[in-house]
Amino acid sequence: MENQDILTKDIDETRQGEALEMAAKGGEGKKLYIESYGCQMNFSDSEIIASVLIDEGFETTKNLEEADVVFVNTCAIRDNAEQRVRGRLDIFRKAKKANPDMVIGVMGCMAERLKTKLLEEEKIVDIVVGPDSYRDLPNLVRVAETGQKAVNVLLSREETYADINPVRLGGNGVTAFISITRGCDNMCSFCVVPFTRGRERSRDPKTIVEEARQLFESGYREVTLLGQNVDSYLWGGGGLKKDILAKGDLTGTVNFAELLVMVAEVDPDLRVRFSTSHPKDMTDEVLHAMAKYENICSYIHLPVQSGNTRVLDIMNRGYSREWYLKRIEKIREIVPDCGISTDIITGFCTETEEEHQDTLTLMQLVKYDFAYMFKYSERPGTLAARKFEDDIPEEVKGRRLSEVIDIQMQNSLESNRKDLGKVHRVLVEGTSRKSEEKLQGRNPQNKVIVFPRENYKVGDYVNVFVDDCTSATLIGTAVK
Ligand code: SAH
Ligand code: SF4
Ligand code: F3S
């Protein structure tokens, strides 16, 4: 693979809002162009998609105009995520006018949510594929090339793509994602993911450790273990978690804390991160593993969604405000230097002004280092859409969101100021976006740190003395 190129565009204010166009040129065969939207799991899936098609002799391209096959890997988490994809389809429509043989495929969560309806609504689409059917892509492309529409939106109880070696197209050669579970069994009432990604299943730990080892051997220095709820990971020789638990015997099973340790032991110089943790399932065993292994990064993304117990209850989150705060206390006790971030939704159905205030006071108690914040967006088919009215006016949702953002801006700045005057261990990921003379990387707590390049290079661990900051970045100089 030569001439790899990446373009990262900011298309949303959120973690979900990054688009990555992955590409490489060269050789013969048909050319594939992929764009990805949504969460890290979707980006990880695009690497599986590319791998499946490269095995078929495809090459990837960053140039839409020269593509034979154009794929967009989509997100359905909020309405604006879907609108953005529809906007991209308009652009693809123009490209297809110039090249009528172009095959256009929609994959991922929006494909799974809309199924064949997508073919009716967007005439330009030739292929619709859900997240569990990527092995079928070569076949679907062949069908589409004959001028027929091709659809596979079957969800699986087993598929984990465990044996597929993802093509690391969009990366920096230092940090990589590894999916450890697929699907979600939680049924939070606002959330579309259980419908678009199916039942939760865990991947064979041997294949996870092997992937981490191979990455380390080819120069990678950080892996992020991915799942909608990593704490729920449970391997028992295959099958759904509920089937493993039903047996009532956990001998020979591997839980998340044990998996973390297995990956951490690949090499002390391989950093291990994970996302996302769930407040109802995060165990002390995981925290103790973090405290024991220096290479398991002291950082937890622990989405709270709301600071009010009644709202959490109708969200079906499975914990109360008090339970959540106790989990935070435990993190601070066992992993004192832990960075903590969260997700918050404002204006969920029936949320009162007082209940919104509870979210603000919780934020002040926890003092998150970072947060992803959203207005509630009703998703068709979810429990909330069926049971509750989306009754908070747009402007109230928006005002509550800006209050949440204001508090977080202050807290992020405060958190960064606490890091001044200290030395941080940084894994260098690349050149600073703002200056060629500077490098950037992250400390274990996941904060971005920028410092003068000197003779350091991507992939180095560097001790950086931090003496300046913005609300988003720490700034410093390397020390010996
Ligand atoms: N599995 C993760 C979340 C995945 S979705 C967890 O349970 O925490 C990422 C975030 O998107 C969620 O944490 C939530 O804050 C937000 N989100 C999900 N559905 C939403 C909706 N309908 N409207 C607004 N935000 C939503
Ligand atoms: Fe959605 Fe809840 Fe599952 Fe997260 S845990 S993916 S919010 S259903
Ligand atoms: Fe979006 Fe699907 Fe991820 S809905 S957030 S791409 S699991």
Side-chain angles (χ1 to χ4, degrees):
M1 305 289 295
E2 300 159 36
N3 297 331
Q4 288 201 359
D5 204 351
I6 340 159
L7 272 170
T8 308
K9 293 188 292 193
D10 287 331
I11 53 160
D12 195 350
E13 72 284 13
T14 71
R15 163 187 52 171
Q16 276 71 28
E18 286 192 342
L20 181 68
E21 293 171 13
M22 301 188 296
K25 267 190 196 169
E28 291 172 8
K30 287 183 203 129
K31 292 203 164 68
L32 164 70
Y33 172 95
I34 309 183
E35 272 182 28
S36 307
Y37 296 85
C39 61
Q40 293 167 329
M41 305 198 68
N42 242 21
F43 287 86
S44 170
D45 279 2
S46 290
E47 299 185 332
I48 288 166
I49 292 168
S51 172
V52 168
L53 288 175
I54 285 168
D55 274 356
E56 281 289 305
F58 278 83
E59 296 158 22
T60 49
T61 176
K62 64 171 177 180
N63 189 350
L64 176 62
E65 280 71 36
E66 68 167 24
D68 301 293
V69 174
V70 172
F71 283 166
V72 55
N73 195 1
T74 62
C75 176
I77 201 83
R78 286 170 289 277
D79 184 57
N80 60 6
E82 294 199 357
Q83 293 315 322
R84 204 158 283 128
V85 169
R86 290 188 192 268
R88 290 306 292 162
L89 290 175
D90 288 339
I91 304 287
F92 298 165
R93 190 168 291 123
K94 289 182 194 123
K96 189 161 173 160
K97 273 215 180 97
N99 173 10
D101 289 336
M102 187 181 267
V103 168
I104 296 188
V106 178
M107 36 223 47
C109 292
M110 186 178 169
E112 187 65 49
R113 189 178 86 73
L114 292 168
K115 305 188 171 61
T116 50
K117 232 167 96 188
L118 195 56
L119 293 175
E120 293 154 27
E121 291 173 9
E122 302 282 352
K123 296 278 180 276
I124 192 198
V125 174
D126 304 299
I127 303 178
V128 177
V129 205
D132 286 344
S133 304
Y134 297 146
R135 286 181 203 268
D136 196 24
L137 278 169
N139 172 44
L140 297 168
V141 170
R142 270 193 296 277
V143 171
E145 281 169 348
T146 68
Q148 300 171 70
K149 303 282 181 187
V151 180
N152 189 342
V153 288
L154 284 176
L155 286 173
S156 158
R157 296 159 75 93
E158 285 99 32
E159 181 63 271
T160 58
Y161 301 110
D163 57 316
I164 294 185
N165 204 0
V167 182
R168 310 287 170 182
L169 283 172
N172 49 19
V174 178
T175 61
F177 297 130
I178 303 181
S179 287
I180 64 162
T181 67
R182 295 186 72 83
C184 184
D185 281 355
N186 280 325
M187 289 304 222
C188 301
S189 62
F190 52 79
C191 185
V192 78
V193 172
F195 304 93
T196 63
R197 297 243 160 198
R199 299 307 300 264
E200 181 190 286
R201 58 229 107 110
S202 298
R203 176 177 167 190
D204 185 341
K206 283 202 296 295
T207 69
I208 296 169
V209 172
E210 190 44 37
E211 194 173 326
R213 191 185 318 279
Q214 279 180 16
L215 285 164
F216 184 75
E217 280 164 7
S218 47
Y220 284 79
R221 290 295 173 263
E222 182 182 294
V223 293
T224 303
L225 308 181
L226 294 181
Q228 291 299 349
N229 174 355
V230 287
D231 301 293
S232 189
Y233 177 90
L234 187 65
W235 173 256
L240 297 180
K241 180 172 175 174
K242 74 169 176 43
D243 299 335
I244 300 170
L245 291 175
K247 282 196 207 125
D249 175 14
L250 292 184
T251 340
T253 60
V254 176
N255 70 19
F256 180 57
E258 291 159 341
L259 176 72
L260 253 186
V261 167
M262 286 162 74
V263 179
E265 286 184 344
V266 165
D267 196 287
D269 275 340
L270 181 69
R271 273 186 175 179
V272 187
R273 296 185 186 276
F274 51 88
S275 187
T276 301
S277 303
H278 198 299
K280 78 177 164 62
D281 295 319
M282 188 194 65
T283 60
D284 290 355
E285 197 186 348
V286 168
L287 299 176
H288 287 298
M290 294 174 76
K292 182 164 168 206
Y293 287 83
E294 205 174 331
N295 59 327
I296 304 180
C297 288
S298 297
Y299 170 62
I300 299 184
H301 182 59
L302 197 68
V304 68
Q305 315 300 358
S306 163
N308 175 271
T309 299
R310 187 194 71 88
V311 175
L312 288 169
D313 204 39
I314 59 171
M315 284 178 164
N316 207 16
R317 287 290 288 180
Y319 54 86
S320 63
R321 174 186 174 98
E322 289 69 33
W323 169 280
Y324 185 91
L325 288 171
K326 285 224 174 74
R327 294 320 290 150
I328 296 287
E329 258 175 47
K330 256 300 184 245
I331 297 173
R332 304 259 191 243
E333 177 192 319
I334 301 174
V335 193
D337 64 340
C338 198
I340 305 178
S341 61
T342 201
D343 293 347
I344 289 172
I345 298 176
T346 66
F348 185 62
C349 315
T350 72
E351 182 189 67
T352 66
E353 215 48 52
E354 292 72 43
E355 289 166 338
H356 161 65
Q357 288 296 325
D358 284 345
T359 299
L360 303 183
T361 60
L362 180 129
M363 292 176 78
Q364 290 300 30
L365 282 171
V366 179
K367 301 264 180 213
Y368 294 107
D369 300 290
F370 195 80
Y372 301 92
M373 299 154 285
F374 317 98
K375 279 191 283 191
Y376 173 59
S377 163
E378 185 178 78
R379 309 312 293 132
T382 54
L383 289 180
R386 282 183 271 152
K387 272 170 69 181
F388 312 117
E389 196 189 330
D390 180 11
D391 59 351
I392 308 298
E394 229 11 66
E395 61 275 13
V396 175
K397 286 181 186 170
R399 194 252 307 146
R400 290 180 189 171
L401 178 64
S402 51
E403 288 173 13
V404 163
I405 291 174
D406 282 349
I407 292 193
Q408 189 51 44
M409 293 269 283
Q410 289 165 24
N411 285 349
S412 293
L413 187 60
E414 218 173 280
S415 153
N416 281 355
R417 285 200 178 126
K418 280 199 191 129
D419 284 332
L420 300 183
K422 291 182 193 153
V423 174
H424 299 254
R425 191 160 158 81
V426 176
L427 172 61
V428 182
E429 292 175 24
T431 300
S432 153
R433 279 191 209 167
K434 291 197 184 130
S435 159
E436 274 294 313
E437 274 92 65
K438 288 186 172 168
L439 290 173
Q440 78 169 38
R442 279 171 297 150
N443 68 2
Q445 291 74 14
N446 210 34
K447 286 193 181 169
V448 174
I449 300 188
V450 175
F451 63 98
R453 181 185 291 271
E454 299 177 53
N455 292 319
Y456 297 103
K457 53 186 195 316
V458 173
D460 285 348
Y461 283 104
V462 184
N463 291 324
V464 176
F465 179 78
V466 166
D467 58 1
D468 196 7
C469 70
T470 66
S471 67
T473 314
L474 299 177
I475 302 158
T477 332
V479 290
K480 295 285 169 261

